[in-house]
Amino acid sequence: MPSNIEVSIEGFTGPLDLLCHLVESRQMQASKIKVAQLVRIYGAYLSKTRNASAEIISEFFFMAAGLLLQKVLSLLPSDKENVSSGFEDSDESYDVISEEELLARMSRFSPYRKATSILIERKGKQDRKFRRISLHVADASFPKYELGDLYNLSKLWWSILAAHRNENNSESIWDEDESWDGVPESLPDEARIQTRIDEITEKLRKYPVLLLSSLIEEQKLLSTSSVSAIVVTLLALLEMCRMKKISVFQEELFGEVRINAAFSDSIAY
Amino acid sequence: MAKSGLTLLSATASRIEAVLFVASTQVSERELSETLAVPTREISAALLELQEHLAKHAHGIELQNIAGAWQLVTNPHYAEIISLFRDVSERQRVRISKASVETLAIIAYNQPVTRSEVEEIRSVRSESVIETLLSHGLIKMAGRKKSVGSPWLYRTTDRFLEVFGLASMSELPSLEEISIAGVSQEEQNKEDEADSQA
């Protein structure tokens, strides 16, 4: 069901059906929803899960069309008598601003528009004046930060950290395609976890002790979606712990995690 | 003093000119005072003398007060020539969209101000514009507002004054002055229209 998926778009993070409900009940402005982004996320989600029936897709289309209709209505001038939303609660009034409100907003914004013109004019004049260029790195070309300007400092810090990571670990196991931003990870099904349990059991028959890092590295090499593969491995290990097939040890903080076959009988069945 | 029709600069003004010539960033009056070991009042007078001197004798450079400090800049009459020289103009040009200037104007006249207050005036979402202005150093975060959600407050920076060639915010007309000027302009336009019809 599409309503089960969590979407993360600008201004909202949560289940899709909640988003639709908020928009339909006017608790959230439809004009602020980026429907195209939503469709992209859901399309990517379907392609990841590879489990989309016509019913699921049609239900999503129904929700997306509802959002789109609400968005169009919110952008059009108010005409409550003639407009029909297509939803059951179509007799509700729409959150479309009145003419008076529009004029008030324009009047409030008017001086700022003139101030904008003044600033643009000033910038035009200032752009015609040039100053000495500093060749010293620590002087003018290096960005300066005022005390308390944590935003720029943290931004710089994260960019340096990211650059450092890219240099040292260009094939990080957490590397994912940027186009998957905001796309929820599909939940691994039981069959995949069972397959992984069988694989780990098979390994434990050959080697009495396994290292968690080697299991993850192995998945990284085999799978295209490393994060999903790691989740499957961890779930498989948890399940095996629950079934008392393995015991897990970590001798020191941040140390290597060792997986032992807990009961040789259960492994050697 | 006059010599061959040219006004000579005072010793302090000449020394200030020399210091500003080597400075790649703005220099405050206090720094000049400390460097030249001259009282601030004398520095202020010498700066005005130098500014007037450069303007009067059509020099290729002029003295400008930016964000409360002083810097030698090129004469705007020679902008076209400078733009042909190496990549000077490209290195100094700051490109800002109209939406960004609009947002800057709202922040400048209402600072410190929250994003939602900016959006209230603009009637459109301004998240990405504010992000852009932050990344260009034209605005900065200035604490949080003591209200529901403790939203961030934003202020303009000295970089803003630099880009728009302002010594301080007081150089900009107030919103009231802008409104009155706007009304007067509209009345003038109406009169002109009536005259042309007559």
Side-chain angles (χ1 to χ4, degrees), chain A residues 123 130-132 146 151, chain B residues 21 74 92 94 131 140:
Chain A
K123 185 175 179 301
F130 300 92
R131 58 186 187 278
R132 180 183 290 277
E146 293 183 32
Y151 174 83
Chain B
F21 175 76
T74 61
Q92 294 194 18
V94 180
E131 186 77 14
K140 62 181 175 184

Side-chain angles (χ1 to χ4, degrees), chain B residues 64-169:
Chain B
Q64 192 178 18
N65 187 333
I66 299 168
W70 296 85
Q71 188 168 30
L72 290 174
V73 295
T74 61
N75 189 323
H77 290 300
Y78 308 121
E80 282 72 27
I81 296 168
I82 303 294
S83 64
L84 295 173
F85 179 67
R86 297 184 183 169
D87 59 348
V88 172
S89 59
E90 277 306 306
R91 287 178 69 170
Q92 294 194 18
R93 187 166 293 158
V94 180
R95 290 185 175 84
I96 311 173
S97 67
K98 194 179 176 189
S100 297
V101 181
E102 201 175 277
T103 308
L104 263 176
I106 294 169
I107 294 173
Y109 279 100
N110 295 280
Q111 54 187 313
V113 65
T114 66
R115 194 187 79 201
S116 60
E117 287 163 350
V118 172
E119 289 174 346
E120 175 73 23
I121 296 170
R122 289 189 74 212
S123 299
V124 287
R125 283 180 73 91
S126 306
E127 197 171 357
S128 60
V129 180
I130 286 179
E131 186 77 14
T132 307
L133 294 174
L134 280 168
S135 66
H136 280 83
L138 293 165
I139 59 168
K140 62 181 175 184
M141 286 167 165
R144 288 181 181 273
K145 188 173 184 177
K146 287 178 184 171
S147 65
V148 180
S150 304
W152 281 107
L153 288 162
Y154 299 97
R155 272 187 181 282
T156 54
T157 59
D158 283 352
R159 174 83 177 130
F160 161 77
L161 298 174
E162 192 182 310
V163 167
F164 291 93
L166 295 162
S168 69
M169 278 300 298

Side-chain angles (χ1 to χ4, degrees), chain A residues 39-49 179-180 183:
Chain A
V39 172
R40 185 188 68 78
I41 288 174
Y42 189 66
Y45 173 78
L46 287 183
S47 72
K48 263 192 155 184
T49 54
S179 62
W180 295 104
V183 178

Side-chain angles (χ1 to χ4, degrees), chain A residues 52-63:
Chain A
S53 67
E55 189 187 349
I56 290 175
I57 296 174
S58 64
E59 194 176 339
F60 174 75
F61 273 26
F62 175 75
M63 286 188 177

Side-chain angles (χ1 to χ4, degrees), chain A residues 122-182:
Chain A
R122 285 204 71 107
K123 185 175 179 301
K125 284 180 183 170
Q126 188 61 23
D127 280 349
R128 293 179 63 80
K129 296 176 182 178
F130 300 92
R131 58 186 187 278
R132 180 183 290 277
I133 299 168
S134 171
L135 297 175
H136 194 257
V137 176
D139 196 352
S141 58
F142 196 78
K144 288 178 179 174
Y145 300 103
E146 293 183 32
L147 194 66
D149 190 2
L150 291 176
Y151 174 83
N152 279 321
L153 274 177
S154 59
K155 198 171 175 185
L156 182 67
W157 165 255
W158 287 115
S159 65
I160 290 169
L161 207 62
H164 180 71
R165 276 188 187 145
N166 286 339
E167 272 178 21
N168 293 340
N169 190 15
S170 57
E171 292 180 13
S172 164
I173 57 169
W174 303 107
D175 278 354
E176 287 287 326
D177 188 351
E178 280 182 10
S179 62
W180 295 104
D181 256 10

Side-chain angles (χ1 to χ4, degrees), chain B residues 18-39:
Chain B
V19 170
L20 293 177
F21 175 76
V22 295
S24 55
T25 56
Q26 297 98 305
V27 184
S28 67
E29 290 184 20
R30 188 177 169 182
E31 191 178 357
L32 285 170
S33 170
E34 286 168 1
T35 307
L36 304 181
V38 172

